Amino acid sequence: MFSDDRSNIDNMSLSPSLANDVFENAVQHAYLFCGEDSVAQARLFAMAINCTDSRDGNPCGICPVCRRTSLGSYADLIVIQPQKGWIRIDQIRDMQSKVFLRSMEGGKKVIIIEDADFMKTEAANSLLKVLEEPPEDTVFILCAATKDKLLPTIISRCLFYHFGKEGSFVIDPASLAVAEEKVLTFFSLLNGGVVPILNFADSFDKNKDKEGLLYFFIALWQKLAADAKNEVLQVSERELAMRSAMFAERAVDLLRRNINQRLLCDVTLIRLWLMYR
Ligand SMILES: [Zn+2]
């Protein structure tokens, strides 16, 4: 269940503020986590909430509750993820039918909604009704890249947190504008062969332009994420954009961790070329 890279918690600890909520027995009904570490924090928080050997509000990581939550097999944990690009109303209804039942494990029920910004309007309205009158002993954790696409009425029901490395990363508008031009160039190459793609990748490497490459992937990610939500596009185009956006997002993440720039660039751009050609 928690198999994707975004939920990697191996090198991460729970936010002290969330640990404090657990420690003080002050866990709220609904949280909104934004930023690249939001899913991992949601997972850690879900563990901490029901951990039987919690230390200062942090999950122990080894008790049966922690282990089963980590594996996604804890009975009172519901994880909702987009299906074919969207979270749909039947997924919210299915969750609704379960959260009003008693806890099966005796603790709190935790509902993690990943990519909550990819929620159809009817689904969002249905979720809003649940958030307005939340069932007892239930914690909703919405995760999203940003809160821009969420209903203001949903945001206002949640305690908002931002997780990620963006805090130490200031985006320079001029560099981003240059990168946006490069993204357009890249898209114009997608109908051709692989050689222009490799030459394009080369241009970053030749100039040892790591920052330019990072900005390129940020601009690419933003464009694909916008395409994925653009209702003017066909469903298949939006789904392609959403899958591709994940590769671009991953590239941004890996570049910030100093991964081999050349290899990452070649692999990601060729993969996108294969998907789009
Ligand atoms: Zn534990």
Side-chain angles (χ1 to χ4, degrees):
M1 187 172 288
F2 286 117
S3 56
D4 60 46
D5 293 315
R6 295 176 307 159
S7 60
N8 183 8
I9 57 170
D10 294 344
N11 299 312
M12 199 180 288
S13 51
L14 182 64
S15 142
S17 172
L18 293 173
N20 194 57
D21 280 2
V22 175
F23 185 66
E24 302 272 350
N25 203 13
V27 174
Q28 307 292 305
H29 278 303
Y31 292 81
L32 169 60
F33 293 174
C34 288
E36 64 197 58
D37 292 338
S38 57
V39 172
Q41 284 292 323
R43 179 179 168 189
L44 284 166
F45 195 34
M47 289 162 76
I49 286 168
N50 287 312
C51 175
T52 55
D53 194 17
S54 159
R55 288 143 207 192
D56 299 331
N58 290 290
C60 73
I62 50 175
C63 75
V65 172
C66 282
R67 279 184 286 143
R68 283 166 52 215
T69 301
S70 158
L71 292 170
S73 63
Y74 188 67
D76 284 328
L77 172 72
I78 298 173
V79 178
I80 298 176
Q81 295 167 322
Q83 290 174 357
K84 294 183 184 165
W86 291 97
I87 292 169
R88 292 154 203 280
I89 191 165
D90 51 322
Q91 292 176 270
I92 300 295
R93 286 202 182 123
D94 184 52
M95 174 271 289
Q96 256 175 303
S97 70
K98 292 172 186 158
V99 290
F100 287 98
L101 304 174
R102 288 172 70 102
S103 156
M104 284 187 270
E105 307 260 6
K108 283 186 189 292
K109 290 161 282 182
V110 180
I111 293 85
I112 296 177
I113 303 181
E114 295 183 12
D115 298 312
D117 40 352
F118 286 85
M119 198 162 5
K120 289 277 190 192
T121 310
E122 323 87 75
N125 285 326
S126 183
L127 175 65
L128 180 61
K129 289 203 189 99
V130 187
L131 294 180
E132 279 168 350
E133 287 180 56
E136 270 186 42
D137 292 327
T138 303
V139 184
F140 291 87
I141 310 170
L142 281 62
C143 303
T146 71
K147 58 181 180 176
D148 303 351
K149 302 273 173 185
L150 290 165
L151 290 179
T153 40
I154 285 188
I155 298 171
S156 70
R157 298 266 158 197
C158 301
L159 205 57
F160 177 65
Y161 280 84
H162 192 280
F163 299 111
K165 297 162 191 78
E166 293 91 339
S168 57
F169 184 79
V170 182
I171 291 186
D172 166 37
S175 303
L176 190 62
V178 172
E180 282 165 354
E181 289 293 317
K182 287 197 175 168
V183 168
L184 294 181
T185 306
F186 175 66
F187 269 84
S188 73
L189 299 175
L190 288 175
N191 293 322
V194 72
V195 174
I197 299 290
L198 288 173
N199 287 340
F200 180 82
D202 236 8
S203 68
F204 293 104
D205 202 48
K206 248 185 232 130
N207 302 323
K208 303 233 175 299
D209 186 11
K210 179 161 181 183
E211 183 161 297
L213 184 62
L214 179 61
Y215 271 100
F216 168 76
F217 278 120
I218 290 172
L220 183 64
W221 171 27
Q222 289 183 345
K223 181 196 174 343
L224 292 168
D227 283 353
K229 292 173 190 174
N230 185 349
E231 306 244 336
V232 174
L233 297 175
Q234 291 181 0
V235 174
S236 60
E237 292 174 306
R238 293 205 301 265
E239 286 172 3
L240 175 60
M242 197 194 66
R243 286 203 308 277
S244 307
M246 288 179 194
F247 287 117
E249 184 180 10
R250 172 121 178 100
V252 171
D253 190 33
L254 290 173
L255 273 173
R256 285 189 199 163
R257 292 189 209 163
N258 280 322
I259 201 109
N260 183 320
Q261 170 182 334
R262 178 59 196 256
L263 186 65
L264 174 77
C265 186
D266 287 358
V267 168
T268 308
L269 296 186
I270 290 172
R271 188 176 271 166
L272 291 172
W273 172 71
L274 287 169
M275 287 167 80
Y276 269 86
R277 87 191 158 126

